[in-house]
Amino acid sequence: MWPRRDLLDLLGIEHPIIQAPMAGASTPALAAAVSNGGGLGSLGCASMSLDDLEASTEQLRNATNRAFNLNFFAHQTPDLAPETVTATRSLLQPYYDLHDLGDVPQTSLAPFEPFDEARLALLLKLRPAVVSFHFGLPAPETLDALKDTGARILCSACTVNDAQTLDAAGVDAIIAQGYEAGGHHGDFAMPADPVGVGTMALVPQIVDAVKVPVIAAGGIADGRGIAAAFALGASGVQIGTAFLSCPESSVSEMHRSALGHANDDETRLTRAFSGRWARAKTNPYIEAMEPHSQALPEFPLMYGFSNPLRTWSTNEGNEDYQFMLYGQAAALNRELPAAELVELLIEEAQVIVGK
């Protein structure tokens, strides 16, 4: 049925479709629908408390008896230099004044923690079939402990060099994330400029450079993209933006409406909200911050300075400070329940693969 089965056999799934984790937008209902449809549903867990992680996993297990993926960030929380705070406060204060938000905070606490010992201990108890990471990997002993439970390890790479690092570290499959992808790009380091390699160029180069199965990601929204990924040598795809339009996702109505009217050139990579390059729908705030990108705090501390603007924007129904993450293929989205979307993606791809 599919040109290659290595990824299917590795993950214990029927179809080579992984729903991207999309922290803040994925839900147990979305992940369960994809897994029940024969793909691999994923839950973005980076911003969850331990209690929420355990409860969401239980909810997911109650909705599917098939494999699913729990995803985490492997970032390091940076120091916040005084000069960076001064520069950021100076840049943002006019926006705070415009909307009567008071003074820009003088410091920022990380809104969520990187993968740590407490999360590892909980995963050893929960024993998910698949665990994935973004922004690199945790320590080797952590990976060994997870693998001892039988978990398969996935991680994103945006360059051949990062993919080779993952291959040497012993991951089971690599997600080749192209420049077109929505959300945060999984670069190990935080590059100064929003550079990137497109999916069409990245996937075959990573396929040639590593020994493990490669999963294509970025700009894949329909069966044509899935078939193309196989032609490039991938063993499966990871799709995010296309699932945001499903009723099971937790995106806001403003975000959902934007997806329904999306076009190909309305997104850009920005550090204006989180401190890491992420593809989102552009707006006046993003455009204004672009020349000052290098003056902003690094991920995730920038959230502490941008969140008051984002909250005001949400409360006012205003898009000017919204962080609406999605990729360059959003115009191809279909507003369907996740189970129906998975079925349609399989049908579309099979027609092409069969030829």
Side-chain angles (χ1 to χ4, degrees), residues 81-350:
E83 58 270 25
T84 302
V85 174
T86 300
T88 303
R89 298 187 76 221
S90 176
L91 284 169
L92 298 191
Q93 191 61 58
Y95 299 99
Y96 275 59
D97 291 342
L98 182 63
H99 305 299
D100 296 322
L101 298 177
D103 292 335
V104 178
Q106 297 189 29
T107 189
S108 174
L109 298 176
F112 47 83
E113 298 297 325
F115 192 81
D116 57 14
E117 289 297 324
R119 285 164 178 76
L120 173 60
L122 182 54
L123 282 188
L124 297 181
K125 171 187 172 184
L126 297 174
R127 301 174 72 88
V130 182
V131 179
S132 66
F133 294 98
H134 213 50
F135 312 138
L137 291 171
E141 55 269 24
T142 297
L143 297 184
D144 289 342
L146 290 170
K147 285 187 168 189
D148 285 345
T149 69
R152 301 299 190 182
I153 306 297
L154 312 181
C155 189
S156 301
C158 295
T159 66
V160 170
N161 184 65
D162 285 351
Q164 291 173 320
T165 300
L166 294 177
D167 197 24
V171 302
D172 295 295
I174 294 168
I175 302 160
Q177 185 190 35
Y179 185 74
E180 304 92 325
H184 284 96
H185 285 202
D187 306 84
F188 289 14
M190 286 191 269
D193 298 312
V195 297
V197 184
T199 305
M200 184 70 74
L202 182 66
V203 171
Q205 292 184 72
I206 289 182
V207 167
D208 290 347
V210 303
K211 300 183 292 295
V212 297
V214 173
I215 300 154
I220 300 169
D222 59 17
R224 292 172 294 183
I226 297 170
F230 275 101
L232 295 174
S235 297
V237 299
Q238 179 171 279
I239 298 175
T241 297
F243 284 107
L244 291 176
S245 295
C246 297
E248 295 93 339
S249 84
S250 61
V251 296
S252 68
E253 287 306 312
M254 192 185 306
H255 197 158
R256 198 175 295 277
S257 176
L259 288 163
H261 299 88
N263 59 56
D264 60 336
D265 63 353
E266 68 185 17
T267 64
R268 70 175 304 157
L269 291 175
T270 180
R271 294 186 70 233
F273 286 97
S274 73
R276 259 190 185 269
W277 295 112
R279 184 172 295 283
K281 183 183 180 183
T282 193
N283 58 41
Y285 169 71
I286 288 174
E287 295 293 335
M289 288 298 108
E290 194 277 333
H292 309 287
S293 292
Q294 299 317 307
L296 302 177
E298 292 184 357
F299 178 92
L301 296 178
M302 183 58 195
Y303 279 119
F305 299 100
S306 65
N307 273 346
L309 291 169
R310 188 179 178 189
T311 299
W312 175 88
S313 190
T314 299
N315 292 340
E316 295 295 319
N318 179 308
E319 288 191 11
D320 287 356
Y321 307 97
Q322 286 295 299
F323 193 29
M324 293 192 286
L325 299 164
Y326 55 84
Q328 290 181 328
L332 298 174
N333 276 24
R334 279 74 65 93
E335 296 180 3
L336 294 171
E340 293 182 26
L341 179 58
V342 170
E343 186 175 353
L344 179 59
L345 291 170
I346 294 166
E347 180 181 335
E348 290 174 340
Q350 285 295 316

